[in-house]
Amino acid sequence: RPLSDEQSASCGDTLSDHVSLEIGAGDAWSFMRPGISRQTLRRLRRGYWGIEAQLDLHGLTRDEARVELVHFLDASVRHGFRCIRIIHGKGHSSRDGEPVLKARVGGWLSQRAEVLAFCQARPEDGGGGAVLVLLKVT
């Protein structure tokens, strides 16, 4: 279950690896907080908001990626970014050829209160190897 704002702020980089999101084939993989409209998700998927920052997690271990993601999200929120891209890779270099970080990144993002929605990037933005994230602007 997602952490509250207080829990999230106090636990720093203690995002759980045990939150899993089903990853469907194709562009279906996405997440929306309750109260976020389907239109908002469609806009994110279509590139309505420009990508203001990106994080490339290629080649990092799961633990390294989690720490980097937390720092990147914190910095993105501080800068007031609305839309960011996280490149997790397609898993071609992993032992079993499966994208290890993709599911982890989705689970981690869903635990952060400032993440309103995310979806697989368009092909020109990284496709199945990247995710576009819509952040709450405070």
Side-chain angles (χ1 to χ4, degrees), residues 22-31 38 41-42 44-46 90 102 118-132:
E22 287 299 310
I23 300 177
D27 294 333
W29 190 58
S30 61
F31 167 85
R38 298 264 317 126
L41 186 62
R42 268 197 305 276
L44 179 61
R45 190 172 277 138
R46 291 180 181 153
K90 295 181 180 176
K102 182 174 186 171
F118 62 80
C119 64
Q120 180 173 301
R122 297 178 299 173
E124 60 268 32
D125 292 328
V131 63
L132 299 179

Side-chain angles (χ1 to χ4, degrees), residues 107-119:
W108 295 334
L109 289 171
S110 71
Q111 295 174 64
R112 295 288 298 237
E114 65 272 23
V115 173
L116 298 178
F118 62 80
C119 64

